[in-house]
Amino acid sequence: MKILVTGAKGMVGTALIANLKNIKENKNRTRPNLKIDEIYEYDLDSTPEELEVYCEKADFVFNLAGVNRPKEQSEFMSGNFGFASTLLNTLKKHHSKASVMLSSSIQATSLGRYGTSDYGKSKLAGEELFFEYGNENDVKVAVYRFPNLMGHSRPKYNSAVSTFCWAVANDEDFTVNDRSTELELLYIDDLVEGMFDLLEGKEQHCEFDGVETVLMKDGRYCCVPITHKVTLGEIVDLLEQFKAQPETLLMPKMPEGSFAKKLYSLYLTYLPVEKFKYELKMNRDERGSFTELVHTADCGQVSVNISKPGITKGQHWHNSKWELFIVVAGHGLIQERNIHTGKTVEFEVNGDKIEAIHMIPGWTHNIINLSDTENLVTIMTCNEVFNQERPDTFFDPV
């Protein structure tokens, strides 16, 4: 399959092309049915001659080109409707039977606050042009009315989410006029997966009830149904938590598929390089060091313990707290004793064979560095963040 992407240097085009290349080069093997031979990239700096060649050769066209921040309102129609006409006329000239995808906007509904949008009017005109082209030339046309898109794009341009991410990550001032304003957001990775579905003929169809997407098997439009409705207040509150993470160590809850998980990934792309790393507090003494790495909202914390040669650490037990000790370097011995029955167990551990050892509630435990020359390095996970007021930790030698 030979694929033409117009608007190749925009937010969607950049992400789509990078991921199409992963398929083409067999780096992404999640879509074994997709075989991509060529990817043609067309953008503002491309030539009419290149468009001719691409339209003649392409088997599939993603039309992502468009204008959303013109100097003059009239540029909406010329940039959106005008280029659509040029593209379709070029395809028609070469008797192309390539399937064509159009990136339109929910603003094309021309309803509610979109009712007077010149941008929406230009998108609606482009939609009708594509539908007519499909009917007249017996080719597949897939028109997507995207909501607000969420991906790495220029801040202070046309994405409030990008602007907020950039501002928070770079300690810049920003304004939220109304925290209760709700956005419907489509994350760029979900959009790309939707485009892969389209290439495989598994796209979702829909109609619109006002501006609401209604899945419908025979719907005129196509859609990517995985969107998130969130308020501006919710977005900036999450971003402030992300910003504080290097100090608090606390990772907010980020379940699979959640908006928070996607926003955190996007936020990180706006970090200045000097914030790529941050210092952690190492609690040092003559025995070695103990450093908390990450706190979680519901699964405790992760730490790293370094024991110097010959040193024993621990010698305590917990009522309800449990831990996992994972030695990643060095040679050591872990001992545990049931404080009620006196039963003992011990485990020789080595960084050459990484194992996880449970520290059971009600069993006092220690860890001993058996080496005379090397440090013992242990990753320790715990089901709760340490609370100085209720430490649930009681000294008792094994």
Side-chain angles (χ1 to χ4, degrees):
M1 181 184 295
K2 298 177 181 180
I3 297 173
L4 166 59
V5 180
T6 72
K9 293 181 180 178
M11 180 189 80
V12 178
T14 300
L16 179 60
I17 288 169
N19 283 279
L20 287 171
K21 287 179 179 178
N22 284 340
I23 297 287
K24 178 177 181 291
E25 296 165 9
N26 204 33
K27 296 175 182 177
N28 179 349
R29 301 179 184 179
T30 64
R31 301 278 181 160
N33 296 325
L34 281 183
K35 305 298 179 185
I36 298 174
D37 303 304
E38 298 289 343
I39 303 169
Y40 306 124
E41 303 177 32
Y42 182 88
D43 209 273
L44 291 175
D45 55 358
S46 302
T47 65
E49 292 75 19
E50 287 174 311
L51 185 63
E52 291 279 350
V53 172
Y54 299 159
C55 285
E56 181 179 14
K57 293 182 177 181
D59 304 305
F60 196 103
V61 179
F62 287 103
N63 183 39
L64 309 176
V67 174
N68 51 35
R69 277 295 182 94
K71 295 180 179 178
E72 302 292 338
Q73 292 296 97
S74 60
E75 294 178 38
F76 277 130
M77 195 61 73
S78 61
N80 292 325
F81 180 81
F83 177 74
S85 300
T86 299
L87 173 65
L88 296 181
N89 286 336
T90 307
L91 289 168
K92 194 183 305 183
K93 173 183 175 181
H94 293 286
H95 308 288
S96 174
K97 291 298 180 181
S99 298
V100 184
M101 173 270 180
L102 171 64
S103 172
S104 186
S105 166
I106 196 66
Q107 294 193 38
T109 58
S110 297
L111 296 171
R113 63 191 178 96
Y114 305 133
T116 58
S117 164
D118 288 328
Y119 174 72
K121 292 175 183 176
S122 68
K123 285 296 190 180
L124 180 60
E127 289 179 2
E128 294 304 321
L129 190 67
F130 271 73
F131 284 130
E132 290 173 10
Y133 170 81
N135 291 332
E136 292 174 1
N137 296 278
D138 192 29
V139 298
K140 179 177 178 177
V141 169
V143 175
Y144 287 77
R145 284 180 170 176
F146 291 132
N148 296 285
L149 299 181
M150 175 182 157
H152 189 92
S153 62
R154 190 194 330 170
K156 298 183 179 180
Y157 187 57
N158 67 340
S159 169
V161 178
S162 290
T163 299
F164 293 154
C165 285
W166 168 81
V168 173
N170 290 274
D171 304 314
E172 297 286 345
D173 293 333
F174 63 95
T175 301
V176 180
N177 293 324
D178 183 354
R179 286 177 53 88
S180 66
T181 298
E182 185 179 75
L183 300 180
E184 182 179 8
L185 295 163
L186 171 59
Y187 184 52
I188 189 65
D189 285 10
D190 295 324
L191 190 159
V192 168
E193 289 300 316
M195 297 305 94
F196 288 168
D197 285 342
L198 175 62
L199 288 174
E200 291 185 337
K202 301 187 298 187
E203 70 277 7
Q204 299 253 22
H205 286 260
C206 69
E207 291 291 347
F208 289 88
D209 181 6
V211 296
E212 296 295 322
T213 302
V214 181
L215 293 177
M216 192 173 296
K217 184 177 180 180
D218 299 319
R220 188 185 194 204
Y221 295 91
C222 297
C223 68
V224 179
I226 305 172
T227 62
H228 303 272
K229 291 184 178 180
V230 292
T231 65
L232 296 182
E234 290 169 334
I235 293 170
V236 297
D237 287 348
L238 275 171
L239 290 174
E240 293 293 353
Q241 290 181 54
F242 299 157
K243 180 178 180 177
Q245 192 276 328
E247 295 180 5
T248 66
L249 300 183
L250 180 64
M251 284 289 185
K253 290 184 179 181
M254 291 186 278
E256 183 65 29
S258 68
F259 173 75
K261 181 178 181 181
K262 297 169 186 178
L263 182 65
Y264 188 66
S265 294
L266 180 59
Y267 165 77
L268 291 177
T269 68
Y270 288 94
L271 284 179
V273 292
E274 59 268 21
K275 288 189 178 182
F276 280 20
K277 70 173 184 178
Y278 57 92
E279 189 173 351
L280 294 167
K281 180 185 177 183
M282 295 181 68
N283 299 290
R284 306 172 189 263
D285 60 23
E286 68 281 356
R287 301 173 302 161
S289 66
F290 180 81
T291 306
E292 297 179 28
L293 304 179
V294 174
H295 294 175
T296 69
D298 56 353
C299 295
Q301 68 182 43
V302 180
S303 308
V304 59
N305 180 77
I306 299 176
S307 301
K308 292 182 178 180
I311 290 296
T312 298
K313 284 190 174 184
Q315 305 285 44
H316 58 237
W317 61 275
H318 315 289
N319 281 305
S320 296
K321 185 185 299 184
W322 54 261
E323 299 167 298
L324 280 175
F325 286 6
I326 305 167
V327 168
V328 296
H331 179 207
L333 181 69
I334 294 172
Q335 298 176 318
E336 300 185 59
R337 173 176 57 80
N338 188 306
I339 65 168
H340 303 295
T341 68
K343 182 176 181 179
T344 62
V345 294
E346 61 181 33
F347 307 92
E348 191 168 350
V349 287
N350 195 302
D352 293 333
K353 182 183 180 183
I354 296 180
E355 300 172 302
I357 314 296
H358 281 289
M359 302 301 110
I360 308 297
W363 289 63
T364 189
H365 50 272
N366 64 25
I367 183 166
I368 305 168
N369 187 346
L370 296 179
S371 172
D372 295 327
T373 57
E374 295 182 347
N375 285 342
L376 181 67
V377 182
T378 308
I379 301 298
M380 297 179 173
T381 68
C382 178
N383 66 321
E384 60 185 44
V385 175
F386 182 76
N387 181 351
Q388 187 69 45
E389 300 300 319
R390 295 182 61 84
D392 190 12
T393 301
F394 309 98
F395 178 75
D396 190 358
V398 175

